Amino acid sequence: MTVLFNNYGRRSVHLVKGKGTEVWDDKGKRYLDFTSGIAVLSLGHANSLLNEALQQQSEKLWHVSNLFESPEQEQLGASLVKDTHLAHALFCNSGAEANEAAIKLARKHTGKHHIITFEKSFHGRTYATMAATGQEKVKQGFGPLVEKFTTVPFNDVAALKAVADASVGAIMLEVIQGEGGVNAATPAFIQAINEVSAEHGILVIVDEVQTGIARTGKRYAFEHTALKPDIVSLAKGLGGGFPIGAILAQPALYDTLGPGSHGTTFGGNPLAVAVAQKVIDTVFEQEFLEQVQALSAYAKDQLSKKLPQFKVVGEGLLLGLDCGEPVAADYVKKAEAAGLLVVQAGTDVIRLVPPLTVTKAEIDEAISILQEL
């Protein structure tokens, strides 16, 4: 029995220290961390740049209400929308909060409550984001959910076109589904989304909670596609381990959220913003993005050559090994025992999401461990 609720399927490992891609448990055992807090630790554990930013800010100001001006939030927002078609930012504390804000913004702006989402998606565990998520296991036992979400198969153009009409306010998707199996949207599916959104005046929300902030080798995963979303949600890698979320939106949506329409006590607090700004200043540099792309190409090549029994899926350093059957959980356990921390994506896929600072030597070591399982 424990004082904590049993809502997490916790592993028996107690991690006490980390540096870069390496972590150690309370017994002194070393692991390679290819979970990075589930795509959170953009710059690895105990990054000195982030430590310095947090320390400096902690000596000035921890918290100030959003009733007051925040030049720091302004700077971070400007960094996030720079050289994109997006123009405005709102800060919160998590991915679920960001997606909740995105849903509220879309519904309020369009006056329409109908939103299309997709099977195997994951958008959060609040009532609205549960309703948006295309996985029944997330919703079981919680009673009536927020209406109206229509969930259709991912990458099914005909299914999308069958439900997209003038009653729909938004289409909400991950361009690469993380929790549901590292599934990428096809070009044909992206084209269909663009067509139906233009035809029926539908907003497009792209959930970049897991895929954003350089995880796929670009600033945002939608930049791999022809999509120009109206709203983008962010979290996970944005704070490099410090809790922060955000939405970004097109200029036309600015007036929708006036004073009092939405808020959060801790969203965009000075500590989170200081750390996130340092993350963005680092990972949005072109040289850094190119390094992520190079590491991704190397990892894909080596995984394909040395683990041919798996299909390699994903983009950047959001990669998966598709087992072709529901045995991913077994591999996760065996890898942990061998000193490699990985995580599932659905039942069939072993998800590999190391820090973006992972080295080729660490990739080689991880593959070597996987070969022995």
Side-chain angles (χ1 to χ4, degrees):
M1 182 62 70
T2 169
V3 71
L4 302 177
F5 270 104
N6 195 34
N7 56 309
Y8 297 108
R10 294 185 190 272
R11 305 184 192 181
S12 58
V13 175
H14 175 201
L15 300 175
V16 296
K17 184 176 68 171
K19 186 65 178 176
T21 311
E22 299 175 297
V23 291
W24 289 264
D25 68 17
D26 58 346
K27 298 177 178 64
K29 181 177 178 178
R30 170 190 173 271
Y31 302 82
L32 273 182
D33 184 7
F34 272 52
T35 72
S36 58
I38 312 184
V40 168
L41 296 158
S42 311
L43 300 177
H45 292 272
N47 181 275
S48 58
L49 292 174
L50 303 191
N51 285 343
E52 182 182 5
L54 184 60
Q55 177 67 29
Q56 289 179 353
Q57 183 58 50
S58 72
E59 294 174 352
K60 294 189 290 186
L61 194 66
W62 279 41
H63 177 77
V64 63
S65 169
N66 280 306
L67 294 172
F68 298 94
E69 289 187 354
S70 176
E72 295 80 12
Q73 285 189 24
E74 291 277 359
Q75 180 184 352
L76 179 58
S79 298
L80 290 168
V81 302
K82 183 181 179 183
D83 297 327
T84 74
H85 65 290
L86 304 161
H88 304 291
L90 180 153
F91 293 105
C92 54
N93 304 287
S94 70
E97 287 182 58
N99 282 331
E100 189 86 15
I103 291 165
K104 288 178 68 175
L105 176 58
R107 289 173 61 152
K108 192 170 191 295
H109 184 77
T110 62
K112 297 184 286 187
H113 302 157
H114 187 186
I115 295 177
I116 297 172
T117 63
F118 301 99
E119 292 178 3
K120 297 187 178 180
S121 62
F122 182 81
H123 299 295
R125 298 183 185 274
T126 62
Y127 266 88
T129 58
M130 271 198 304
T133 292
Q135 300 185 54
E136 285 304 311
K137 66 180 182 181
V138 173
K139 308 174 186 182
Q140 291 173 1
F142 294 106
L145 299 177
V146 175
E147 296 181 341
K148 176 183 178 183
F149 292 88
T150 298
T151 302
V152 299
F154 192 57
N155 280 330
D156 189 327
V157 171
L160 171 64
K161 290 186 173 180
V163 297
D165 58 30
S167 74
V168 176
I171 295 170
M172 186 174 190
L173 76 153
E174 305 150 274
V175 295
I176 303 174
Q177 294 180 329
E179 302 299 319
V182 192
N183 308 307
T186 64
F189 192 58
I190 294 297
Q191 181 180 345
I193 290 172
N194 280 333
E195 288 173 357
V196 298
S197 62
E199 180 181 356
H200 300 295
I202 300 170
L203 298 182
V204 175
I205 302 170
V206 172
D207 178 343
E208 294 265 11
V209 169
Q210 185 161 175
T211 57
I213 316 301
R215 174 54 58 182
T216 66
K218 291 186 180 289
R219 296 171 303 174
Y220 307 111
F222 75 77
E223 293 178 318
H224 292 281
T225 76
L227 279 180
K228 289 199 177 295
D230 298 281
I231 306 169
V232 172
S233 59
L234 303 169
K236 287 190 179 289
L238 176 57
F242 202 98
I244 185 171
I247 59 169
L248 311 177
Q250 295 230 44
L253 280 73
Y254 175 73
D255 290 329
T256 302
L257 294 182
S261 60
H262 189 70
T264 166
T265 297
F266 297 109
N269 72 80
L271 294 171
V273 168
V275 175
Q277 186 67 60
K278 184 60 68 174
V279 170
I280 295 306
D281 289 345
T282 304
V283 305
F284 277 13
E285 286 292 327
Q286 188 59 35
E287 184 178 351
F288 189 96
L289 293 169
E290 290 172 357
Q291 178 66 12
V292 172
Q293 293 166 17
L295 288 167
S296 176
Y298 179 78
K300 287 180 178 179
D301 177 68
Q302 294 299 303
L303 288 165
S304 297
K305 287 178 178 176
K306 296 183 178 180
L307 295 164
Q309 67 271 37
F310 302 117
K311 179 184 177 183
V312 181
V313 294
E315 194 66 61
L317 291 174
L318 171 55
L319 298 175
L321 298 174
D322 191 337
C323 305
E325 55 183 327
V327 294
D330 294 334
Y331 280 104
V332 170
K333 291 178 183 177
K334 291 176 182 177
E336 180 184 295
L340 173 66
L341 303 180
V342 293
V343 65
Q344 291 174 243
T347 59
D348 293 14
V349 177
I350 306 162
R351 194 174 2 160
L352 307 175
V353 280
L356 303 181
T357 51
V358 67
T359 65
K360 286 185 176 180
E362 289 167 338
I363 291 170
D364 289 340
E365 184 181 353
I367 293 173
S368 179
I369 291 171
L370 290 168
Q371 284 182 292
E372 297 299 318
L373 300 183

